[in-house]
């Protein structure tokens, strides 16, 4: 078995699970702040093998899901501007905005291109000098370096027909907003491994230090998640909140300084609107003045009518950890992955989709 | 969205690009935001077309051993010390 596959080895998982089960203590709620963890936890059946005292909660960790309808409406409007080709990651295509998804906009004949990487968006710009390539950029700290790198490359190659519509967000202000609201009790946090690979494990020390909440930075294999959960339970039961990095094969205490340096060079902080939360100050990344030539917001100012939400959709509450997808009357009925009413059912990392696909599955 | 996949570097190319193998599929990715050098044979983690970290194989091995023991792993690390060191 390869070294990396060992992290999926159920024989190795067993003793960790036994340790978790042997722990005695009161009921605890552990939240993961990463959509990738949400899926991994459901896929591996970890939720259902936890002892009764351990409640696993999902937080606002899916960038597709926290994108507001106002931003989705703006993307749709950009795609309809003459001469524009809108490029975006595939995850965004089917997310319903106020009135339509980008897939529906594309079906009407407007140019919406799905790309795997900003590198492909740059290629589109080079191949279509007579068109404006607007990249609709979502994502958290993990994805921001790819956007920053694209802007820097567009500048270096003098690609004047490439611009970025940035709706990128930062996870730490999001996590702080959620904890400050006090709606949901969080005793421990599974820290987002790939976010931490960029900003560093130490960036999550605020949880034990400011909130007294233990955090374990985790990878995405079953073993990683079980070990992180066990570490968190240990810290809770000992009353000794701290930060543990169980993903040290990837995550360094200081993160990837080069990648984050590129982000800081290209972007500055601004307020951003999160589904379920509203405006969170200094939680979004906007292009600096110096890169105005590559900023779709500055280059294509648009007047967008106020956005609307689907009246049945409870995505906002799901993202704040105060409602389970099954609390939504539309779940599995009016709202399915084929006909999603909200982003939490579209995105493969959305809680509603994860519930839909894995909930009934045996472990 | 923050999904990242391990890949083996096959060949370094111009413009900070590299050819990598992602579970049997070859793809050209960018090394532009990778901190440090990568050489053919190295394992890197790829996210949306960019290598974001090298995978530390020794650390992976050590982690597996620690997961198996777990006792010391749960003890809070002394000041300034990596719990995995
Ligand atoms: S099931 Fe559908 S409608 Fe209900 S909260 Fe989830 S995404 Fe929204």
């Amino acid at each position: 078995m390869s070294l990396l596959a060992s992290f999926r080895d159920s024989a190795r998982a067993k003793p960790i699970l036994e340790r978790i089960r042997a722990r005695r203590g009161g009921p605890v709620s552990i939240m993961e702040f990463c959509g990738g963890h949400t899926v991994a936890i459901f896929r591996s059946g970890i939720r259902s093998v936890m002892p009764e005292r351990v409640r696993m909660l999902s937080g606002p960790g899916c960038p597709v899901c926290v994108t507001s309808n106002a931003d989705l409406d703006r993307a749709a409007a950009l795609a309809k501007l003459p001469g524009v080709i809108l490029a975006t990651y595939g995850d965004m295509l089917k997310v319903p905005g106020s009135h339509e998804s980008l897939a529906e906009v594309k079906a009407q004949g407007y140019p919406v291109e799905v790309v795997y990487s900003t590198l492909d968006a740059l290629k589109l710009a080079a191949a279509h000098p007579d068109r404006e390539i607007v990249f609709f950029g979502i994502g958290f700290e993990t994805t921001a370096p790819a956007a920053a790198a694209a802007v820097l490359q567009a500048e270096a190659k003098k690609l004047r027909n490439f611009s970025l519509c940035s709706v990128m967000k930062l996870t730490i202000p999001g996590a702080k907003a959620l904890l400050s609201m006090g709606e949901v009790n969080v005793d421990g946090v599974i820290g987002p491994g790939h976010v931490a690979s960029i900003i560093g494990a130490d960036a999550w020390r605020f949880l034990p230090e400011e909130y007294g909440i233990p955090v374990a930075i985790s990878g995405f294999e079953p073993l990683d998640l079980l070990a992180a959960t066990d570490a968190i339970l240990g810290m809770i039961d000992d009353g000794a909140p701290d930060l543990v990095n169980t993903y040290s094969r990837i995550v360094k205490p200081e993160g990837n300084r080069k990648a984050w340096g590129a982000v800081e060079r290209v972007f500055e902080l601004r307020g951003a609107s999160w589904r379920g939360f509203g405006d969170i100050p200094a939680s979004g990344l906007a292009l600096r003045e110096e890169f105005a030539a590559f900023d779709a917001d500055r280059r294509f100012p648009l007047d967008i009518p106020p956005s609307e939400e689907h009246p049945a959709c409870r995505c906002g509450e799901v993202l704040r950890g105060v409602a389970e997808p099954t609390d939504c009357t539309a779940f599995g009925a009016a709202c399915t992955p084929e006909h999603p009413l909200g982003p939490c059912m579209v995105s493969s990392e959305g809680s509603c989709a994860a519930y839909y696909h894995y909930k009934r599955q045996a472990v | 969205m923050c999904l990242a996949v391990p890949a083996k570097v096959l060949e370094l190319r111009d413009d900070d690009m590299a050819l990598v193998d992602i579970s049997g599929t070859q793809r050209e990715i960018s090394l532009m935001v990778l901190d440090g050098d990568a050489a053919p044979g190295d394992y890197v983690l790829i996210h949306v077309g960019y290598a974001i970290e090298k995978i530390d194989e020794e650390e992976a091995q050590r982690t597996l051993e620690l997961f198996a023991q777990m006792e010391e792993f749960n003890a809070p690390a002394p000041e300034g010390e990596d719990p995995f060191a």
Side-chain angles (χ1 to χ4, degrees):
Chain A
M1 185 178 312
S2 81
L3 184 57
L4 294 178
S6 301
F7 286 89
R8 256 169 265 146
D9 182 3
S10 55
R12 288 174 191 268
K14 231 170 162 195
I16 310 179
L17 189 55
E18 272 160 21
R19 276 188 63 85
I20 291 176
R21 287 184 166 153
R23 290 183 178 283
R24 295 282 162 256
V28 294
S29 298
I30 297 179
M31 179 173 266
E32 89 271 349
F33 276 124
C34 171
H37 283 157
T38 307
V39 186
I41 286 171
F42 274 102
R43 191 188 288 139
S44 58
I46 286 180
R47 266 198 193 201
S48 42
V49 296
M50 281 295 131
E52 208 159 319
R53 65 178 284 231
V54 180
R55 201 173 151 228
M56 308 288 272
L57 293 171
S58 298
C62 156
V64 175
C65 305
V66 296
T67 301
S68 68
N69 273 7
D71 287 336
L72 290 161
D73 295 348
R74 199 149 49 95
L78 282 167
K80 293 179 183 180
L81 286 179
V84 165
I85 298 175
L86 188 89
T88 193
Y89 296 125
D91 309 45
M92 291 314 293
L93 210 60
K94 281 164 99 184
V95 182
S98 298
H99 308 292
E100 58 196 355
S101 66
L102 289 174
E104 286 161 332
V105 170
K106 187 177 167 77
Q108 291 160 35
Y110 296 103
V112 176
E113 291 291 333
V114 168
V115 292
Y116 160 71
S117 171
T118 54
L119 296 165
D120 303 328
L122 292 175
K123 281 186 198 151
L124 272 178
H128 300 279
D130 53 329
R131 304 286 288 273
E132 286 289 344
I133 310 302
V134 179
F135 184 74
F136 183 51
I138 65 149
F140 290 143
E141 290 90 335
T142 321
T143 313
V151 171
L152 292 172
Q153 288 174 84
E155 189 189 42
K157 293 180 179 155
K158 301 197 166 51
L159 280 174
R160 295 292 167 201
N161 63 333
F162 172 85
S163 60
L164 173 70
C165 171
S166 169
V167 297
M168 285 177 294
K169 298 179 176 61
L170 303 181
T171 51
I172 291 183
K176 286 186 173 175
L178 180 129
L179 295 170
S180 306
M181 287 165 108
E183 286 180 313
V184 56
N185 181 51
V186 179
D187 301 301
V189 166
I190 297 178
H194 292 148
V195 164
S197 75
I198 303 295
I199 61 173
D202 282 346
W204 290 85
R205 286 207 180 271
F206 75 95
L207 281 170
E209 285 167 7
E210 290 170 36
Y211 293 86
I213 298 177
V215 53
I217 306 297
S218 175
F220 296 82
E221 302 296 351
L223 226 55
D224 293 317
L225 288 157
L226 285 172
T229 305
D230 187 42
I232 292 165
L233 288 171
M235 292 187 277
I236 296 174
D237 294 347
D238 295 346
D242 201 347
L243 174 132
V244 166
N245 179 8
T246 64
Y247 199 31
S248 54
R249 63 187 184 277
I250 297 292
V251 176
K252 299 195 285 261
E254 74 281 10
N256 178 343
R257 289 265 162 84
K258 187 173 176 188
W260 196 244
V263 173
E264 286 183 328
R265 164 133 176 62
V266 172
F267 298 105
E268 60 191 8
L269 296 180
R270 71 165 160 208
S273 161
W274 295 53
R275 183 183 304 270
F277 293 83
D279 281 326
I280 303 179
S283 70
L285 294 175
L287 283 126
R288 291 183 185 278
E289 176 77 53
E290 192 189 336
F291 295 98
F294 304 98
D295 185 358
D297 295 358
R298 288 181 170 100
R299 294 197 40 204
F300 308 104
L302 289 167
D303 245 337
I304 310 287
S307 63
E308 289 166 32
E309 305 292 330
H310 194 285
C313 181
R314 297 182 67 181
C315 259
E317 290 159 85
V318 170
L319 289 164
R320 299 202 304 274
V322 296
E324 299 269 324
T326 43
D327 294 334
C328 173
T329 50
F331 177 83
C335 181
T336 61
E338 291 72 42
H339 297 283
L341 297 184
C344 303
M345 188 61 95
V346 184
S347 167
S348 55
E349 295 179 351
S351 290
C352 298
Y355 257 69
Y356 189 88
H357 290 300
Y358 300 111
K359 185 72 178 173
R360 283 149 289 189
Q361 214 165 279
V363 185
Chain B
M1 181 73 210
C2 292
L3 187 78
V5 293
K8 186 178 182 173
V9 177
L10 298 175
E11 189 185 304
L12 300 182
R13 294 189 166 167
D14 290 348
D15 237 6
D16 245 351
M17 300 293 284
L19 185 71
V20 299
D21 178 296
I22 304 176
S23 37
T25 309
Q26 297 195 354
R27 194 187 261 282
E28 212 182 39
I29 58 99
S30 171
L31 301 173
M32 192 176 162
V33 298
L34 185 72
D35 213 350
D37 296 329
D42 284 347
Y43 280 88
V44 290
L45 196 66
I46 311 287
H47 174 66
V48 294
Y50 292 78
I52 55 171
E53 266 302 341
K54 269 207 219 179
I55 302 174
D56 187 332
E57 292 182 55
E58 266 173 48
E59 200 65 24
Q61 192 62 54
R62 212 163 7 193
T63 303
L64 281 174
E65 286 157 20
L66 268 164
F67 282 3
Q69 298 156 10
M70 293 307 281
E71 277 302 344
E72 60 241 65
F73 169 68
N74 281 319
E79 204 54 37
E81 216 179 275
D82 180 353
F84 272 82

